[in-house]
Amino acid sequence: QVQLVESGGGLVQAGGSLRLSCAASGRTFSTYGMAWFRQGPGKEREFVAAIGLSGITRWYADSVKGRVTISRDNARNTVYLQMNSLIPEDTAVYYCAASLGYSGSSLVRYDYWGQGTQVTVSS
Protein backbone atom coordinates (compact mmCIF):
# COMPACT_ATOMS: atom_id res chain seq x y z
CA GLN A 1 0.00 0.00 0.00
CA VAL A 2 1.16 3.48 -0.86
CA GLN A 3 -0.09 6.72 0.59
CA LEU A 4 0.51 9.77 -1.59
CA VAL A 5 0.30 13.37 -0.43
CA GLU A 6 0.74 16.24 -2.87
CA SER A 7 1.84 19.73 -1.97
CA GLY A 8 3.08 22.89 -3.64
CA GLY A 9 -0.01 23.95 -5.54
CA GLY A 10 -1.25 27.49 -5.51
CA LEU A 11 -2.01 30.60 -7.51
CA VAL A 12 0.65 31.83 -9.90
CA GLN A 13 0.79 34.32 -12.73
CA ALA A 14 1.18 33.25 -16.33
CA GLY A 15 4.85 32.80 -17.12
CA GLY A 16 5.65 31.88 -13.56
CA SER A 17 6.98 28.68 -12.07
CA LEU A 18 5.78 26.19 -9.53
CA ARG A 19 7.18 23.02 -8.04
CA LEU A 20 4.82 20.30 -6.90
CA SER A 21 5.90 17.60 -4.49
CA CYS A 22 4.44 14.18 -3.84
CA ALA A 23 5.48 12.43 -0.67
CA ALA A 24 4.93 8.68 -0.58
CA SER A 25 4.79 6.38 2.38
CA GLY A 26 6.42 2.99 2.67
CA ARG A 27 9.85 1.49 2.16
CA THR A 28 9.07 0.21 -1.34
CA PHE A 29 8.86 3.58 -3.07
CA SER A 30 11.67 2.68 -5.44
CA THR A 31 9.62 -0.20 -6.87
CA TYR A 32 6.86 2.11 -8.08
CA GLY A 33 6.63 4.06 -11.26
CA MET A 34 5.37 7.56 -10.56
CA ALA A 35 3.37 10.01 -12.58
CA TRP A 36 1.48 13.26 -12.52
CA PHE A 37 -1.99 13.72 -13.97
CA ARG A 38 -4.24 16.74 -13.99
CA GLN A 39 -7.94 17.41 -14.28
CA GLY A 40 -9.58 20.70 -15.04
CA PRO A 41 -13.21 21.50 -14.17
CA GLY A 42 -15.56 19.44 -16.32
CA LYS A 43 -12.67 17.74 -18.09
CA GLU A 44 -11.19 14.27 -18.10
CA ARG A 45 -8.09 13.50 -16.15
CA GLU A 46 -5.09 13.72 -18.44
CA PHE A 47 -1.50 12.61 -18.34
CA VAL A 48 1.19 15.16 -17.57
CA ALA A 49 4.45 13.38 -16.83
CA ALA A 50 5.83 10.06 -15.65
CA ILE A 51 9.13 8.75 -14.39
CA GLY A 52 10.59 5.26 -14.31
CA LEU A 53 11.63 3.29 -11.28
CA SER A 54 15.21 4.50 -11.29
CA GLY A 55 14.39 8.02 -12.40
CA ILE A 56 16.33 7.68 -15.63
CA THR A 57 13.43 7.34 -18.08
CA ARG A 58 10.85 10.10 -18.25
CA TRP A 59 7.71 10.72 -20.30
CA TYR A 60 5.89 13.98 -20.94
CA ALA A 61 2.62 14.98 -22.50
CA ASP A 62 2.99 17.08 -25.62
CA SER A 63 1.08 19.89 -23.93
CA VAL A 64 3.77 20.36 -21.29
CA LYS A 65 6.92 19.12 -22.99
CA GLY A 66 9.71 21.63 -22.62
CA ARG A 67 8.03 23.38 -19.71
CA VAL A 68 7.85 20.59 -17.15
CA THR A 69 10.42 18.37 -15.50
CA ILE A 70 9.58 15.33 -13.41
CA SER A 71 12.12 13.94 -10.98
CA ARG A 72 12.25 11.59 -8.05
CA ASP A 73 14.33 11.16 -4.94
CA ASN A 74 13.93 7.58 -3.81
CA ALA A 75 15.87 8.23 -0.62
CA ARG A 76 13.27 10.81 0.36
CA ASN A 77 10.28 8.90 -1.07
CA THR A 78 9.37 11.99 -3.05
CA VAL A 79 8.54 12.81 -6.66
CA TYR A 80 8.60 16.36 -7.97
CA LEU A 81 7.03 18.22 -10.83
CA GLN A 82 8.83 21.42 -11.75
CA MET A 83 6.62 23.58 -13.94
CA ASN A 84 7.92 26.62 -15.76
CA SER A 85 6.41 29.08 -18.23
CA LEU A 86 2.97 28.34 -16.87
CA ILE A 87 -0.07 29.22 -18.95
CA PRO A 88 -3.74 29.48 -17.95
CA GLU A 89 -4.41 26.15 -19.66
CA ASP A 90 -2.29 24.53 -16.95
CA THR A 91 -4.97 25.36 -14.39
CA ALA A 92 -6.19 22.09 -12.91
CA VAL A 93 -6.07 19.81 -9.94
CA TYR A 94 -2.80 17.92 -10.15
CA TYR A 95 -2.70 14.34 -8.94
CA CYS A 96 0.25 12.20 -8.05
CA ALA A 97 -0.04 8.53 -9.00
CA ALA A 98 1.96 5.37 -8.34
CA SER A 99 2.06 2.06 -10.14
CA LEU A 100 3.76 -1.15 -9.08
CA GLY A 101 6.34 -1.73 -11.76
CA TYR A 102 4.74 0.42 -14.48
CA SER A 103 5.86 3.77 -15.77
CA GLY A 104 4.17 5.65 -18.56
CA SER A 105 1.14 7.60 -19.66
CA SER A 106 -1.61 4.99 -19.22
CA LEU A 107 -3.95 6.20 -16.50
CA VAL A 108 -5.48 2.78 -15.89
CA ARG A 109 -2.11 1.27 -15.00
CA TYR A 110 -1.73 3.38 -11.88
CA ASP A 111 -2.82 1.81 -8.63
CA TYR A 112 -2.56 4.61 -6.08
CA TRP A 113 -3.58 8.23 -6.19
CA GLY A 114 -3.15 11.27 -4.05
CA GLN A 115 -5.99 13.65 -3.28
CA GLY A 116 -4.66 16.34 -5.57
CA THR A 117 -3.36 19.86 -5.27
CA GLN A 118 -4.90 22.85 -7.02
CA VAL A 119 -2.83 24.83 -9.49
CA THR A 120 -4.32 28.05 -10.78
CA VAL A 121 -2.54 30.13 -13.39
CA SER A 122 -3.87 33.65 -13.79
CA SER A 123 -3.81 35.47 -17.11
Side-chain angles (χ1 to χ4, degrees):
Q1 302 295 320
V2 176
Q3 185 76 38
L4 306 174
V5 180
E6 303 97 335
S7 62
L11 175 64
V12 297
Q13 294 182 340
S17 298
L18 203 63
R19 188 184 74 163
L20 306 183
S21 298
C22 175
S25 64
R27 296 182 291 107
T28 60
F29 176 76
S30 62
T31 68
Y32 288 85
M34 303 296 297
W36 290 93
F37 293 79
R38 67 186 183 186
Q39 187 169 20
K43 298 182 178 180
E44 296 182 354
R45 192 168 299 184
E46 66 176 3
F47 171 75
V48 177
I51 189 165
L53 307 187
S54 67
I56 297 175
T57 306
R58 291 175 282 189
W59 297 262
Y60 297 100
D62 290 340
S63 59
V64 301
K65 192 172 299 182
R67 302 187 297 114
V68 167
T69 301
I70 187 171
S71 61
R72 67 189 296 164
D73 186 341
N74 289 344
R76 298 179 63 183
N77 285 9
T78 303
V79 63
Y80 304 95
L81 187 71
Q82 177 68 47
M83 300 186 292
N84 303 317
S85 301
L86 287 165
I87 59 177
E89 289 75 16
D90 294 322
T91 296
V93 177
Y94 283 71
Y95 296 92
C96 179
S99 178
L100 183 58
Y102 172 81
S103 300
S105 62
S106 180
L107 185 149
V108 298
R109 294 296 304 274
Y110 287 89
D111 307 299
Y112 305 99
W113 296 83
Q115 294 185 343
T117 184
Q118 176 71 49
V119 172
T120 302
V121 183
S122 62
S123 60

